[in-house]
Amino acid sequence: MEITIISRESVKPSSPTPCHLRTYMLSLLDQLMPSAHVPIIFFYRPIDQREISATLQRLKQSLSDALTFFYPFAGKVKEELYIDCNDDGVYYTETKVSCCLSEIIGQPKSEKILKLLPEDFYLESSGNPGIGIPVAMIQVSVLKCGGIVIGTKTSHKIIDGPTSTAFLKAWAAIARGSGEAVVRPSFTAPSIFPQNLALPKDKMLAIWPSLIKFGKGVMKRFVFDASAVATLKARAASSTCVQHPTRVEAVSAFIWQCTMLASKARIGSQRPSVLSHIVNLRGKKSTHLPEYSVGNLLWMSIAKCSEETETELHLLLGLLRESILQIDGNFVQSLSGEEGFSKVCECLQEFSEVYSNAGTDYLTCSSLCKVGIYETDFGWGKPIWVSPGGINGPVFQNLVFLNETSAGDGIEAWVTLDEQDMVILERETQILKFASLDPSPLLLCD
């Protein structure tokens, strides 16, 4: 697969950012996040070759218009404490790819897919930290067949999954030009959760020594269709624990169960296990966080299963539900205001105690279900597949990323484990009884 760069530029907001908005202070919750860029890739069906030039121009112009509303996205992260909203623009690359859509996602391979993400060429100036780190980078690739792929990388210092989706929805709505209301972001998070300079940088990374693993990490994609999801929900339901589990809860608990069984098969005995689930703080009762609030408005629930605890699915789901319910409106309120810093420090101490046991297995789960990621229609149809790319490397963590299938009724689970653990997961558990391993997205969208 050959990729030829057509152009590389910075797309700036169509209207300059006012002087009083030029410095955007990160919130206390943003301070906890690493500076890493999070990838996501959108694959679209081919369009008429005669329309490609106009389509590319419309994408660029609509991005420029969207950046007027999401102005921090066109800036740079400075000192991991604020965004310099200097209208430098989003790093934007257009490329031409020598193969067709079916050759890329007919049998998706991470080494191909990752090439459709923008390069981190800003690292060339990393010797000068004063320049800052771009908030957003975008690559638009035109395939031989006329298919279009949009790959984005956004800084986790200010952008979580719902924030990224809100931005993409706004960009897509402007590109469609249908006159419908465009998502308007809220920038109130830094005033609700004011930053505190007493919090050390990379504090979260420092308290997670047992989450970071070294070896051969691999990511695989397991697809649960609507029937499998319904079956898991029925199996996980219980009159004594959770009567009506959600599909995310059911799939998360099932994968947790499978990883615990795989660990037991490898070691010979059950080890303590912790499932951390990322919880969206927006929409919690008694809070004042609009749906389209910008920032890392997330927290981690902690579900613990000891070596003596039974691992039936309904029991694990009960532990998961109980841990998520603890992150309610009152908890969010306790994190807010000037007093929130002491609560955050208290929670970080708890995290440190939970995540410091080398004899415990850890699994972290994050979900983009129900945020409308497949609604990003730029004017030529919704994406037929949305992918987080792939992870293959010597440093990783046990991670599950959940997303809806293109039809909206199934769930794709991107699971990252040690290579040997992944082999055991596939061979010694029931995961492949309920899920298909890496089926072609072209089959799922027809």
Side-chain angles (χ1 to χ4, degrees), residues 16-24 71 82-87:
T17 300
C19 292
H20 69 283
L21 298 178
R22 285 296 179 111
T23 299
Y24 181 83
Y71 60 92
Y82 69 97
I83 308 295
D84 183 5
C85 304
N86 53 15
D87 292 346

Side-chain angles (χ1 to χ4, degrees), residues 257-275:
Q257 181 190 52
C258 288
T259 60
M260 292 178 66
L261 294 174
S263 173
K264 184 176 181 180
R266 176 170 55 86
I267 296 171
S269 61
Q270 181 174 316
R271 281 160 51 105
S273 183
V274 172
L275 174 62

Side-chain angles (χ1 to χ4, degrees), residues 16 52 85 97 136 155 181 183 201 224 239 276 290 321 347 407 412 445:
I52 288 177
C85 304
V97 182
S155 173
V183 167
K201 292 182 179 180
F224 298 81
S239 59
S276 305
R321 170 69 69 87
C347 293
E412 291 193 353
C445 65

Side-chain angles (χ1 to χ4, degrees), residues 123-412:
L123 293 175
E124 297 171 2
S125 58
S126 60
N128 185 355
I131 294 178
I133 300 172
V135 173
M137 299 176 288
I138 296 172
Q139 178 172 310
V140 178
S141 300
V142 179
L143 308 182
K144 183 180 179 181
C145 60
I148 293 179
V149 180
I150 299 177
T152 71
K153 284 184 179 179
T154 52
S155 173
H156 215 328
K157 263 299 173 188
I158 182 177
I159 301 174
D160 63 2
T163 299
S164 177
T165 303
F167 167 67
L168 289 162
K169 283 181 177 179
W171 178 17
I174 295 171
R176 288 196 301 272
S178 58
E180 62 191 279
V182 176
V183 167
R184 296 299 178 96
S186 168
F187 296 102
T188 59
S191 60
I192 298 174
F193 308 101
Q195 72 173 233
N196 194 307
L197 297 179
L199 184 72
K201 292 182 179 180
D202 295 325
K203 178 65 176 177
M204 289 292 274
L205 294 178
I207 66 173
W208 288 356
S210 295
L211 284 184
I212 306 301
K213 299 174 74 70
F214 300 90
K216 175 64 173 175
V218 296
M219 173 189 275
K220 291 199 175 183
R221 170 175 158 263
F222 298 89
V223 179
F224 298 81
D225 63 20
S227 175
V229 172
T231 300
L232 288 175
K233 286 178 64 177
R235 288 195 175 194
S238 165
S239 59
T240 57
C241 292
V242 179
Q243 290 186 342
H244 303 289
T246 68
R247 56 180 181 164
V248 168
E249 287 175 331
V251 172
S252 299
F254 174 68
I255 294 175
W256 187 22
Q257 181 190 52
C258 288
T259 60
M260 292 178 66
L261 294 174
S263 173
K264 184 176 181 180
R266 176 170 55 86
I267 296 171
S269 61
Q270 181 174 316
R271 281 160 51 105
S273 183
V274 172
L275 174 62
S276 305
H277 215 288
I278 307 301
V279 180
N280 187 358
L281 303 183
R282 301 167 183 84
K284 297 293 182 183
K285 291 182 179 179
S286 304
T287 63
H288 304 284
L289 294 173
E291 179 184 359
Y292 298 119
S293 295
V294 168
N296 288 288
L297 298 169
L298 308 170
W299 202 258
M300 285 200 313
S301 66
I302 300 175
K304 305 175 186 176
C305 182
S306 71
E307 58 266 54
E308 293 89 13
T309 304
E310 295 182 4
T311 59
E312 279 86 352
L313 184 59
H314 73 280
L315 295 176
L316 294 178
L317 193 140
L319 294 174
L320 173 59
R321 170 69 69 87
E322 182 181 4
S323 69
I324 291 175
L325 288 178
Q326 292 177 18
I327 304 178
D328 56 12
N330 291 331
F331 176 80
V332 177
Q333 290 280 27
S334 73
L335 299 177
S336 64
E338 296 298 335
E339 300 78 16
F341 178 66
S342 61
K343 179 62 175 179
V344 167
C345 290
E346 177 187 323
C347 293
L348 293 180
Q349 180 58 38
E350 178 187 353
F351 288 162
S352 180
E353 294 169 1
V354 170
Y355 297 122
S356 60
N357 188 347
T360 298
D361 292 326
Y362 297 98
L363 184 67
T364 302
C365 186
S366 178
S367 170
L368 271 184
C369 296
K370 296 185 70 174
V371 300
I373 197 71
Y374 275 95
E375 298 302 314
T376 47
D377 176 2
F378 289 90
W380 64 87
K382 297 178 182 180
I384 61 173
W385 192 41
V386 179
S387 165
I391 297 174
N392 289 283
V395 181
F396 64 98
Q397 70 179 87
N398 295 339
L399 184 66
V400 178
F401 174 78
L402 302 180
N403 195 16
E404 294 167 327
T405 56
S406 58
D409 54 0
I411 288 183
E412 291 193 353

Side-chain angles (χ1 to χ4, degrees), residues 59 89 113 236 372:
L59 274 177
I113 293 173

Side-chain angles (χ1 to χ4, degrees), residues 43-52 95-105 141-149 380 384 442:
F43 295 84
Y44 294 88
R45 291 188 184 278
I47 64 174
D48 191 320
Q49 296 279 357
R50 295 169 295 182
E51 298 178 0
I52 288 177
T95 73
K96 182 170 61 176
V97 182
S98 64
C99 58
C100 293
L101 185 66
S102 60
E103 297 174 74
I104 300 175
I105 65 174
S141 300
V142 179
L143 308 182
K144 183 180 179 181
C145 60
I148 293 179
V149 180
W380 64 87
I384 61 173
L442 294 174

